[in-house]
């Protein structure tokens, strides 16, 4: 019986075991479309999420990644209040509505208006009476009067016919309204009350990131991690505007976690991504409970020791493909999480059925990741640690430990924990935008070779060849001393 179990064990494969086979192709890399529907409500322009880790994803990285078209997942090794603040920072990062509006009353003198405009460096003021907007006055209205020495009241020269907008409209719609009505600024109202002001100039300056991942109000998308049973945190993050709540757990096929997914779903509006898993059975159970997206990866991560400490895991290409087989039938997206080292690995993950990938190591060490740059042996590094490492489990707010169903308590807390990750450093990589340029450039090249014009056709067209140790050796640069490091092929030492 035991020998049968051992002899019949299936083989598990990962990135280095395969290459993608080139197909006859009419597709050129520059014309490839990398858009994905990550869940019913969420569209991304590049299939990339950042790992919910305390050396990777806080608001600064989430903003940078969303501006490139992906989405950051704020880590949870902080209090719920702190995580809510991080979500709010992303949501308001490109806020074009000025909330702190300086206003004036109709009976004020225009000399007062002029003083305010000069002191505050603004060129238009909404006129407010009983909390309602009754007019708008601009520098152009005031200047001629002041020049000719006439001191009038605001209500004598203001424009009373004010075009306002509701705060729910998109920047594009606001721009159309401003052009149609030939106005430079639009007061923003909620239930008739002034809550802000938008100017044409701010809208036009706003869109320097045409590929950015945005919600229907034009705000950057953001995801946030919550523990599998931390309903209060999930609700708080949802209310703060998180677009996805990512249930962040080392073993989401724990049946208590599976059971709680339904409760989470019932209490939040955001999409619910659940992970991590590595089998078809786990996918079936979580889909049955209503998960909107599944995250795959038990132990492939660059700083994970789960497979060594617990002897558990499924090599990542096999895990992704098994989950994708089940998820595709239900239309549920699959995120390949961990183990990706090169852009070619992203292409292989997608070829094996992933809709998107989650990156820890590849985004740690960027300018926008938390932490300082340190110099060792003349080279720049940033720290990177597993959320199951001793440092993350004891050093933060317990968000590392409960991911692994462990608790930090008592004076001997270190000796009571069994880490499943290590702490280290990764080379400094520059800006997220530079890393994404190389990564998505490599993915697009791959799609060109495979003849896939978009992610859906990559799922259909990608073919794999299994390679040997010799094939892997041949794949990497060999028989030369690399003298110039390439931006998409880093050397570690
Ligand atoms: P990469 O390879 O991108 O992996 O660095 C990132 C993913 O690794 C997972 N993760 C861990 N897994 N022990 C583990 O076994 C850990 O301490 C740990 N910390 C993070 C996580 O899924 C992340 O997205």
């Amino acid at each position: 019986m035991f020998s049968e179990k051992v002899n019949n064990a299936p083989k598990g494969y990962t990135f280095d075991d395969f290459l993608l086979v080139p197909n006859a192709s009419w597709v050129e890399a520059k014309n490839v479309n990398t858009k994905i529907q990550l869940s019913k409500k969420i569209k991304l322009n590049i299939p990339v999420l950042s790992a919910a880790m305390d050396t990777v994803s806080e608001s600064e990285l989430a903003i940078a990644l969303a501006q490139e078209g992906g989405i950051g997942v704020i880590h949870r090794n902080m209090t719920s209040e702190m995580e809510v603040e991080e979500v709010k920072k992303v949501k308001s990062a490109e806020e074009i509505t000025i909330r702190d509006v300086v206003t004036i009353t109709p009976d004020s003198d225009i000399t007062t208006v002029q003083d305010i405009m000069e002191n505050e460096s603004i060129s238009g003021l909404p006129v407010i009476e009983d909390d309602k907007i009754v007019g708008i006055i601009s520098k152009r209205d005031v200047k001629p009067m002041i020049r000719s020495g006439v001191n009038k009241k605001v209500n004598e020269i203001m424009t009373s016919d004010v075009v306002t907008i509701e705060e729910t409209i998109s920047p594009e719609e606001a721009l159309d309204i401003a052009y149609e009505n030939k106005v430079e600024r639009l007061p923003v109202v909620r239930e008739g009350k002034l809550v802000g002001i938008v100017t044409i100039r701010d809208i036009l300056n706003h869109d320097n990131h045409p590929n950015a991942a945005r919600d229907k109000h034009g705000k950057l998308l953001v995801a946030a991690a919550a523990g599998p049973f931390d309903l209060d945190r999930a609700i708080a993050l949802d209310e703060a505007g998180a677009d996805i709540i990512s249930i962040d757990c080392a073993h989401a096929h724990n049946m208590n976690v599976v059971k709680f997914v339904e409760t989470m779903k019932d209490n939040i509006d955001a999409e619910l991504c659940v992970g991590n898993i590595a089998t078809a059975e786990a996918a079936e159970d979580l889909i049955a409970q209503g998960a909107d997206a599944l995250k795959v990866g038990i132990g492939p991560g660059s700083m994970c020791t789960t497979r060594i400490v617990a002897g558990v895991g499924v090599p990542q290409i096999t895990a992704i493909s098994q989950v994708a087989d089940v998820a595709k039938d239900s239309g549920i997206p699959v995120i390949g999480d961990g183990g990706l080292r090169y852009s070619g690995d992203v292409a292989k993950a997608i070829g094996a059925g992933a809709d998107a990938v989650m990156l820890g190591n590849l985004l740690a060490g960027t300018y926008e990741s938390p932490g300082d740059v340190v110099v060792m042996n003349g080279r720049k590094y940033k720290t990177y640690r597993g959320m199951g490492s001793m440092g993350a489990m004891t050093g933060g707010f317990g968000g590392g430990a409960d991911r692994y169903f462990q608790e930090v308590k008592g004076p001997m807390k270190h000796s009571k924990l069994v880490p499943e990750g290590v702490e280290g450093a990764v080379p400094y990589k520059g800006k997220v935008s530079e890393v994404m340029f190389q990564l998505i450039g490599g993915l697009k090249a791959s799609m060109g070779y495979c003849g896939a014009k978009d992610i859906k056709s990559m799922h259909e067209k990608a073919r794999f060849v299994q390679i040997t140790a010799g094939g892997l050796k041949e794949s990497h640069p060999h028989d030369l001393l690399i003298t110039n490091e390439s931006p998409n092929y880093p050397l570690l030492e």
Side-chain angles (χ1 to χ4, degrees):
M1 186 183 126
F2 286 109
S3 62
E4 202 181 308
K5 184 160 68 179
V6 171
N7 294 336
N8 293 341
K11 256 191 178 167
Y13 298 98
T14 192
F15 303 105
D16 275 356
D17 298 318
F18 294 106
L19 286 171
L20 291 159
V21 180
N23 284 326
S25 172
W26 292 99
V27 178
E28 281 171 31
K30 64 176 187 300
N31 300 324
V32 156
N33 179 341
T34 58
K35 281 195 175 76
I36 57 155
Q37 188 80 38
L38 184 62
S39 63
K40 268 168 254 124
K41 293 185 232 163
I42 309 286
K43 273 193 196 131
L44 300 180
N45 288 323
I46 60 170
V48 176
L49 294 88
S50 69
M53 298 172 74
D54 61 6
T55 45
V56 180
S57 301
E58 290 180 357
S59 53
E60 196 177 346
L61 184 127
I63 291 166
L65 186 56
Q67 286 175 334
E68 294 305 308
I71 188 167
V73 187
I74 305 291
H75 74 84
R76 63 185 179 92
N77 201 10
M78 56 177 117
T79 63
S80 174
E81 292 75 23
M82 287 156 82
E83 197 178 350
V84 159
E85 279 315 304
E86 291 298 299
V87 165
K88 286 185 179 166
K89 278 189 208 162
V90 183
K91 283 315 230 185
S92 60
E94 293 185 340
E95 179 73 283
I96 50 165
T97 306
I98 301 157
R99 300 275 166 187
D100 227 354
V101 194
V102 184
T103 59
I104 191 88
T105 51
D107 55 354
S108 306
D109 291 335
I110 57 168
T111 47
T112 315
V113 174
Q114 197 204 20
D115 289 346
I116 294 176
M117 285 177 171
E118 266 171 22
N119 293 339
E120 306 280 339
S121 303
I122 42 183
S123 53
L125 295 177
V127 185
I128 301 292
E129 191 171 38
D130 299 333
D131 268 355
K132 293 259 168 349
I133 175 153
V134 292
I136 196 154
I137 187 160
S138 74
K139 232 180 205 164
R140 244 179 279 157
D141 303 321
V142 178
K143 257 191 171 168
M145 302 291 158
I146 300 280
R147 229 181 280 131
S148 52
V150 188
N151 191 7
K152 293 204 171 191
K153 297 278 177 203
V154 166
N155 56 8
E156 293 176 81
I157 59 164
M158 68 185 192
T159 306
S160 314
D161 199 8
V162 190
V163 184
T164 60
I165 53 171
E166 293 287 326
E167 61 183 336
T168 46
I169 75 165
S170 70
E172 292 74 28
E173 288 168 316
L175 201 57
D176 285 347
I177 295 172
Y179 283 149
E180 259 167 44
N181 292 282
K182 298 189 177 56
V183 291
E184 280 166 30
R185 56 185 69 74
L186 292 164
V188 184
V189 295
R190 188 191 308 144
E191 289 164 9
K193 284 195 181 155
L194 182 78
V195 290
I197 194 157
V198 170
T199 69
I200 292 193
R201 201 186 48 198
D202 289 341
I203 300 174
L204 293 176
N205 284 345
H206 153 82
D207 211 357
N208 294 327
H209 303 281
N211 219 26
R214 299 183 194 281
D215 62 21
K216 61 176 191 289
H217 306 304
K219 294 180 180 177
L220 295 174
L221 294 180
V222 64
F229 310 111
D230 197 346
L231 186 59
D232 289 346
R233 182 183 291 246
I235 292 172
L237 294 166
D238 185 38
E239 284 170 359
D243 299 282
I244 300 175
I245 304 296
S246 182
I247 297 303
D248 171 51
C249 160
H251 181 31
H253 204 191
N254 172 308
M255 291 312 287
N256 288 315
V257 174
V258 174
K259 212 171 127 212
F260 206 69
V261 165
E262 203 176 359
T263 310
M264 284 277 186
K265 278 287 293 177
D266 286 348
N267 284 280
I268 59 169
D269 285 334
E271 304 283 64
L272 191 71
C273 169
V274 189
N276 278 14
I277 58 167
T279 63
E281 297 82 3
E284 275 161 14
D285 288 348
L286 287 169
I287 291 169
Q289 293 295 303
D292 296 308
L294 297 174
K295 205 150 64 70
V296 180
I298 305 283
S302 57
M303 46 46 246
C304 303
T305 53
T306 296
R307 291 184 189 169
I308 308 305
V309 170
V312 172
V314 177
Q316 191 66 344
I317 287 280
T318 296
I320 290 173
S321 62
Q322 287 182 353
V323 170
D325 277 350
V326 174
K328 285 287 162 292
D329 290 341
S330 315
I332 299 295
V334 173
I335 300 157
D337 173 17
L340 299 115
R341 297 150 309 156
Y342 304 105
S343 48
D345 294 343
V346 177
K348 291 177 196 175
I350 293 173
D355 294 273
V357 290
M358 177 172 271
L359 309 176
N361 190 310
L362 282 174
L363 287 170
T366 52
Y367 172 80
E368 295 89 346
S369 66
D372 295 324
V373 173
V374 291
V375 179
M376 291 189 278
N377 298 329
R379 188 163 183 174
K380 290 179 184 170
Y381 291 87
K382 280 183 104 166
T383 51
Y384 182 44
R385 65 182 186 186
M387 295 311 294
S389 66
M390 201 56 103
M393 288 201 285
T394 56
F397 291 81
D402 81 348
R403 189 174 196 270
Y404 297 86
F405 303 95
Q406 299 187 44
E407 262 179 282
V408 191
K409 55 180 180 191
M412 299 287 286
K413 59 187 186 184
H414 282 69
S415 58
K416 300 286 185 224
L417 292 166
V418 181
E420 290 187 30
V422 295
E423 298 163 65
V426 290
Y428 176 68
K429 303 183 180 80
K431 294 246 178 192
V432 164
S433 58
E434 292 157 19
V435 174
M436 284 304 116
F437 180 81
Q438 292 300 334
L439 201 79
I440 300 306
L443 171 63
K444 287 181 170 179
S446 176
M447 291 167 74
Y449 282 113
C450 295
K453 65 177 182 353
D454 53 26
I455 300 292
K456 185 166 175 281
S457 51
M458 188 68 174
H459 287 154
E460 290 158 8
K461 294 199 167 169
R463 294 183 297 149
F464 286 101
V465 57
Q466 200 181 325
I467 62 171
T468 59
L472 180 62
K473 197 169 168 214
E474 184 185 66
S475 301
H476 282 276
H478 53 87
D479 299 303
L480 87 163
L481 179 73
I482 298 181
T483 52
N484 247 340
E485 192 172 344
S486 176
N488 54 2
Y489 191 79
L491 306 169
L492 241 194
E493 61 291 339

